[in-house]
Amino acid sequence: MRDTRESRLMLVLLIAIAFALITVDIRKGEQSPMDSARRVAASAFGPVENGVSAAVDPVGNSIAAVRDSGVRHDRISRLEAENARLKQELGSDDRHRARSKELDRLLKTAGAGGYGIKGAQVIGIGAAQGFSWTVTIDAGRADGLVRDMTVINGDGLVGRVTTVGSSTATVLLANDPDFSVGTRMEKSSELGFATGRGGDAMTVQLLNGKSEVKKGDRIVTFGSRNNKPFVPGVPVGEVTKVDRTGGDLTRSVSVRPFVGFSKLDIVGVVVKPPREDPRDEVLDANKPAKPKPAPTVTVTKTPSPSASAPRS
């Protein structure tokens, strides 16, 4: 349509009619003559509107779902992180409990033998000075350690100190093939020398070839002069096999060490020897105490005077 005078007059007229209809519709309310027209329009365009709404709503729902899924993902992530933290704390508590038990066993062993010890933790393993079975502990010269001190744990003999630094030390383990320690048999007091065989095995050469020894017998350290490198009475191991070969001046027995060398953690370096040789008293330091038998209650029935009096 061209912009002419007639078109402008037509536009003004249409606007005036629209305002008039709006005014009539507002004033008449529900009685408005436009109400029927609105119903007709609703009937005509309602299905189209519903179709458009049905098409649009899934999109809106998907957007809301994506937004909510992000919130749920954040919540799940927080819960997973909290769960991992709790598991870590639980694991840490279990480790602390295990170490506490290990330290308790060490203190009982040291107390039974009368050993003054310096506690330490194993912080490394390996051939520090060419030895095949050594560990490094976190105690050294600053803690009063010197070469050739006995090292124990709650189970028994771990080894001896070979090299000392300012804050660390190297320990040669008792199962090393170059390791040797004087031993004493429990009860019989037969003497011998134990050497390492690697892993969880040692061999003891008893000085008396005719000594009576059997599987299950236990062995402790005999001790060294001036208690270096070994203090007496430290549990070494248990006999697992006896060499029955006769005619030799010595007798060889296989021994399973009490100490598990592959799982060392808390150890004690004996910095003060015992005043007296504990002999084999340390062997049962960590055995649970036998339960005391319950006292027997005896009930004595005393006859009443009326029952024992003679009848007249």
Side-chain angles (χ1 to χ4, degrees):
M1 181 181 291
R2 290 179 296 176
D3 186 13
T4 61
R5 182 177 180 184
E6 290 80 3
S7 62
R8 288 197 295 270
L9 290 174
M10 182 62 71
L11 179 60
V12 172
L13 180 60
L14 291 174
I15 293 173
I17 294 172
F19 273 109
L21 291 174
I22 292 172
T23 302
V24 173
D25 185 42
I26 293 174
R27 289 182 177 180
K28 295 297 184 177
E30 293 182 357
Q31 303 300 323
S32 170
M34 300 300 296
D35 188 56
S36 58
R38 279 198 299 269
R39 285 196 296 268
V40 173
S43 299
F45 295 105
V48 178
E49 183 178 338
N50 288 336
V52 173
S53 176
V56 173
D57 281 348
V59 178
N61 292 336
S62 299
I63 294 173
V66 171
R67 184 176 61 250
D68 293 341
S69 68
V71 174
R72 286 194 296 270
H73 181 269
D74 292 342
R75 186 182 301 113
I76 292 172
S77 298
R78 288 196 300 269
L79 291 175
E80 289 178 346
E82 180 69 12
N83 190 30
R85 184 183 64 82
L86 291 175
K87 285 183 178 180
Q88 184 177 4
E89 289 182 357
L90 179 60
S92 179
D93 289 342
D94 291 341
R95 185 181 182 189
H96 289 327
R97 282 192 291 268
R99 283 189 168 184
S100 178
K101 290 180 180 179
E102 192 170 352
L103 180 59
D104 183 61
R105 290 175 59 84
L106 172 61
L107 293 177
K108 286 182 179 179
T109 298
Y115 312 128
I117 62 170
K118 172 65 181 179
Q121 182 180 353
V122 174
I123 57 174
I125 58 174
Q129 278 79 36
F131 298 121
S132 56
W133 290 88
T134 61
V135 295
T136 302
I137 58 176
D138 63 350
R141 193 178 303 109
D143 303 289
L145 272 58
V146 296
R147 181 183 170 89
D148 287 337
M149 282 185 165
T150 308
V151 183
I152 66 173
N153 71 359
D155 297 319
L157 180 66
V158 172
R160 63 181 177 86
V161 176
T162 56
T163 306
V164 182
S166 60
S167 58
T168 62
T170 301
V171 178
L172 177 66
L173 300 181
N175 64 339
D176 187 274
D178 290 334
F179 187 93
S180 181
V181 58
T183 60
R184 183 198 301 273
M185 295 292 301
E186 179 186 16
K187 297 179 181 178
S188 69
S189 296
E190 292 285 353
L191 302 181
F193 289 94
T195 56
R197 287 166 42 193
D200 292 328
M202 299 181 74
T203 298
V204 174
Q205 291 288 338
L206 297 174
L207 300 182
N208 181 4
K210 298 180 179 180
S211 59
E212 295 294 331
V213 58
K214 62 183 183 299
K215 183 179 179 180
D217 286 349
R218 299 182 295 180
I219 299 173
V220 299
T221 57
F222 174 71
S224 306
R225 184 177 181 181
N226 297 325
N227 297 297
K228 287 186 178 182
F230 302 107
V231 294
V234 179
V236 175
E238 181 179 272
V239 175
T240 57
K241 183 180 178 181
V242 180
D243 184 2
R244 298 297 179 184
T245 303
D248 295 332
L249 296 178
T250 63
R251 167 165 284 186
S252 177
V253 297
S254 297
V255 173
R256 178 187 61 81
F258 291 127
V259 171
F261 298 103
S262 63
K263 52 183 179 181
L264 291 171
D265 187 10
I266 304 298
V267 298
V269 182
V270 181
V271 294
K272 186 177 181 180
R275 293 183 178 180
E276 297 181 358
D277 185 349
R279 299 183 73 85
D280 54 15
E281 294 179 4
V282 188
L283 286 169
D284 298 324
N286 284 291
K287 275 193 173 182
K290 294 182 179 180
K292 295 181 179 180
T296 303
V297 180
T298 303
V299 179
T300 303
K301 186 176 181 181
T302 304
S304 61
S306 59
S308 59
R311 296 182 180 179
S312 57

